Amino acid sequence: MVTVGRRMETSIERMAGEIGEGRLIDIRFIEASVLSLAADRAAHLESIVAAAAGCFAAGAEAVLLGGAPFAGLAASVAERIGRPVLEGFACAVEDAVAAAPQGEPKV
């Protein structure tokens, strides 16, 4: 996982352990605030790519970009490193749509 907010590391590890059945390999934090990342994601792209590559080097099979400021970046990161990269926001929306009753889902 690549995210911001190192203060959340313990909580992220606990939740990932509960939800991910112990499959979390690595968490990499980029040195940026949520506001900084949201304001200029292009300025942080190299550090995001490097962090994702580090997760793969640690043995991950896929990397999750955790947090709304990463929305829209998975494809460009995946293209740069040639490995599967997912966005937490996009995954959450897909889960919400899948969980909605049949008919036209409203998220």
Side-chain angles (χ1 to χ4, degrees):
M1 170 183 276
V2 174
T3 191
V4 294
R6 186 172 299 278
R7 292 183 194 169
M8 296 292 297
E9 186 170 8
T10 302
S11 296
I12 292 168
E13 287 175 344
R14 182 176 28 79
M15 288 185 69
E18 293 170 5
I19 297 169
E21 302 170 5
R23 296 184 294 188
L24 179 67
I25 299 295
D26 196 14
I27 303 173
R28 303 281 170 131
F29 293 91
I30 63 164
E31 299 302 323
S33 70
V34 171
L35 295 177
S36 169
L37 180 59
D40 190 1
R41 295 180 312 163
H44 299 287
L45 186 59
E46 290 304 318
S47 61
I48 296 167
V49 169
C55 290
F56 287 115
E61 295 178 4
V63 168
L64 174 67
L65 302 179
F70 292 96
L73 292 177
S76 59
V77 175
E79 183 178 307
R80 298 265 309 268
I81 59 180
R83 303 288 299 272
V85 178
L86 307 168
E87 298 168 22
F89 182 77
C91 291
V93 170
E94 289 173 9
D95 284 351
V97 170
Q102 295 297 336
E104 185 174 321
K106 296 181 171 115
V107 180

